[in-house]
């Protein structure tokens, strides 16, 4: 299998396996890998149609809405983490909004990429495809063999590892109650934190049933053992394929690295009470070092705020906004939803009730009598 070198000219560049742009991509990984422990140098893509060189008008940066960070990660959601990592690998100029609710996304879901010409893109793979078309292609110089390997490993991750990750975080009762639901309930703003984690749990359970098929409800315990066995084999295969390399295809990161990192890092960093798959991952030292290396090179602040006075990487994302967009609108929505929830509870519990009667004089007479009694008591 052909391995990519660290510098240009080591082999002829091949077209991207997924129909990406034919322009050279930025190579931040090569600069980061050249010196151990050095901060990565994010590159710049070729000028687009509007031009970004001297005399040209700088195009407005794309805006990425994703789940906020936690557990030492820039985002706790694997799909959001995949997009963030791919953008860092290629140096795509993104203005990142780390939000605590899908309602704060223009599409109502996360991740979401707001573009100038294509509107809002909400699917992970579609976001990466759009970045490739904007000449931010992490797979430009992969060979045909490496492109085929990428497709094979992506399929392996989706079939063998993803279902078990969903089960670990969202279905396993101990992990869900003590870790996943607790984090979302503490992070999501009031009053969404009362019902949004449960809605997400239901959606993940339905997704898992689709992935597992009809046999999910027949013998769940037996199927769970088989799937965890397949997931352990998948992790072992990834470890063997990575070997002692910095990335899966040599010294520069590709889209496969973004996907693998986004799946492994939450499993590695989360403090799970029931971590049987997590323990197997921690036994594979090269995969642990792989995740730690990507975090230190491309996310040097571990998903948190940088220390005071520390310089930010130049040429990376267009900006990262921890503040919530449309803050006033969201505050008003929260107040309205909270009042509606309290009124609904009051009506359902019988604290407040509405009595209806006829509009005739007989119907109004008891009310007049009550008023007279109150006046006499006074």
């Amino acid at each position: 299998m052909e391995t990519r070198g660290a510098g240009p000219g080591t082999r002829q560049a091949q077209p991207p396996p997924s129909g990406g742009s034919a322009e050279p991509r930025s190579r931040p990984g090569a600069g980061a890998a050249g010196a151990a422990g050095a901060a990565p140098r994010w590159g710049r893509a070729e000028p687009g149609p509007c031009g970004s060189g001297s005399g040209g008008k700088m195009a407005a940066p794309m805006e990425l809405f994703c789940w906020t960070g936690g557990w030492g990660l820039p985002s706790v959601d694997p799909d959001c983490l995949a997009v963030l990592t791919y953008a860092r690998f290629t140096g795509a100029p993104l203005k990142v909004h780390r939000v605590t609710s899908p309602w704060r996304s223009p599409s109502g879901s996360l991740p979401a990429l707001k573009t100038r010409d294509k509107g809002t893109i909400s699917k992970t793979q579609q976001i990466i495809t759009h970045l490739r078309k904007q000449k931010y292609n992490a797979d430009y110089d992969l060979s045909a063999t490496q492109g085929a390997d990428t497709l094979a490993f992506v399929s392996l991750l989706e079939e063998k590892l993803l279902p078990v990750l969903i089960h670990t975080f969202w279905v396993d009762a101990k992990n869900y109650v003590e870790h996943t639901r607790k984090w979302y309930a503490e992070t999501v703003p009031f009053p969404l934190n009362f019902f949004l984690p449960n809605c997400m749990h239901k959606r993940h359970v339905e997704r898992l049933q689709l992935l597992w098929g009809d046999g999910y409800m027949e013998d769940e315990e037996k199927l769970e053992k088989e799937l965890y066995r397949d997931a352990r084999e998948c992790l072992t295969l990834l470890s063997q394929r990575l070997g002692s390399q910095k990335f899966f295809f040599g010294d520069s990161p590709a889209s496969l690295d973004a996907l693998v990192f986004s799946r492994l890092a939450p499993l590695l960093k989360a403090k799970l009470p029931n971590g049987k798959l997590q323990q197997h991952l921690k036994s594979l030292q090269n995969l642990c070092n792989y995740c730690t290396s990507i975090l230190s090179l491309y996310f040097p602040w571990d998903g948190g705020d940088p220390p005071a006075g520390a310089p930010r990487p130049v040429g990376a994302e267009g900006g990262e906004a921890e503040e919530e967009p449309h803050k006033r609108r969201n505050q008003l929505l929260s107040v309205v939803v909270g009042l509606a929830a309290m009124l609904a509870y009051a009506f359902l519990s019988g604290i407040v009730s509405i009595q209806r009667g006829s509009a005739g004089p007989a119907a109004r007479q008891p009310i007049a009598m009550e008023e007279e009694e109150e006046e006499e008591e006074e």
Side-chain angles (χ1 to χ4, degrees):
M1 183 174 296
E2 188 176 12
T3 304
R4 173 173 42 173
T10 56
R11 59 181 173 82
Q12 185 177 0
Q14 300 291 334
S18 56
S21 170
E23 296 291 340
R25 68 179 175 94
S26 56
R27 296 289 298 275
R41 294 180 295 148
W42 288 277
R44 293 176 296 175
E46 294 294 323
C50 294
S52 57
S54 59
K57 182 180 179 180
M58 180 68 72
M62 297 170 284
E63 296 186 53
L64 177 66
F65 295 79
C66 63
W67 276 104
T68 188
W71 320 332
L73 299 174
S75 178
V76 299
D77 180 74
D79 292 334
C80 296
L81 188 58
V83 175
L84 279 171
T85 307
Y86 185 89
R88 282 294 176 91
F89 285 169
T90 60
L94 299 180
K95 182 177 181 181
V96 179
H97 300 278
R98 305 179 194 272
V99 298
T100 56
S101 168
W103 284 18
R104 289 166 179 168
S105 161
S107 65
S109 62
L110 298 171
L113 182 68
K114 186 178 180 181
T115 65
R116 187 179 59 174
D117 52 347
K118 297 294 184 181
T120 301
I121 307 173
S122 300
K123 301 294 184 181
T124 303
Q125 190 54 48
Q126 292 178 2
I127 293 175
I128 292 177
T129 300
H130 179 78
L131 294 178
R132 284 174 176 167
K133 292 179 179 179
Q134 300 299 311
K135 306 179 182 180
Y136 299 101
N137 188 359
D139 294 340
Y140 168 73
D141 53 353
L142 295 186
S143 68
T145 302
Q146 291 170 334
D149 288 346
T150 297
L151 296 177
F153 275 101
V154 168
S155 177
L156 179 69
L157 289 169
E158 296 300 312
E159 293 180 7
K160 301 298 184 181
L161 188 59
L162 180 60
V164 179
L165 291 178
I166 295 176
H167 185 276
T168 299
F169 283 92
W170 293 96
V171 179
D172 183 281
K174 193 173 183 65
N175 288 341
Y176 174 66
V177 173
E178 299 182 16
H179 177 76
T180 308
R181 187 177 67 180
K182 179 182 178 182
W183 185 88
Y184 280 95
E186 294 174 351
T187 304
V188 175
F190 174 86
L192 299 178
N193 57 344
F194 283 102
F195 58 88
L196 184 58
N198 291 331
C199 293
M200 297 175 65
H201 171 258
K202 181 180 179 181
R203 186 169 65 250
H204 280 91
V205 170
E206 293 174 351
R207 183 182 181 186
L208 191 60
Q209 291 175 347
L210 291 175
L211 291 173
W212 281 4
D214 297 334
Y216 173 71
M217 300 302 296
E218 295 177 359
D219 193 347
E220 183 178 352
E221 183 177 354
K222 179 181 178 181
L223 184 59
E224 181 180 331
K225 291 180 180 179
E226 294 177 357
L227 290 174
Y228 270 87
R229 180 196 62 200
D230 292 343
R232 288 191 294 269
E233 293 177 357
C234 177
L235 292 178
T236 302
L237 184 60
L238 288 173
S239 176
Q240 294 172 353
R241 176 62 182 83
L242 178 64
S244 58
Q245 298 181 110
K246 184 173 288 292
F247 301 103
F248 276 91
F249 297 118
D251 291 333
S252 297
S255 63
L256 178 61
D257 295 285
L259 183 62
V260 172
F261 172 75
S262 68
R263 300 299 187 251
L264 298 187
L267 181 63
L268 179 65
K269 302 291 286 186
K271 297 180 180 180
L272 299 172
N274 185 9
K276 45 187 175 182
L277 185 62
Q278 185 183 61
Q279 294 303 318
H280 182 70
L281 173 59
K282 290 182 177 180
S283 68
L284 304 172
Q285 192 60 44
N286 64 334
L287 289 182
C288 297
N289 295 338
Y290 169 80
C291 294
T292 304
S293 175
I294 291 178
L295 277 174
S296 61
L297 286 173
Y298 294 95
F299 303 99
W301 315 126
D302 290 342
D305 295 328
R312 296 300 301 266
V314 178
E317 296 167 351
E320 297 191 5
E322 292 290 346
E323 72 275 4
E324 310 292 357
H326 315 298
K327 185 176 181 180
R328 180 59 60 87
R329 182 197 67 180
N330 296 328
Q331 289 175 341
L332 292 176
L333 283 176
S334 298
V335 172
V336 171
V337 173
L339 290 175
M342 289 187 289
L343 288 175
Y345 175 78
F347 280 114
L348 293 175
S349 61
I351 297 177
V352 177
S353 61
I354 300 177
Q355 297 181 353
R356 297 181 179 179
S358 61
R364 292 195 297 265
Q365 184 176 0
I367 300 179
M369 292 177 61
E370 291 178 1
E371 292 176 351
E372 292 175 0
E373 291 176 358
E374 292 176 357
E375 292 177 358
E376 291 177 358
E377 290 177 358
E378 292 176 357

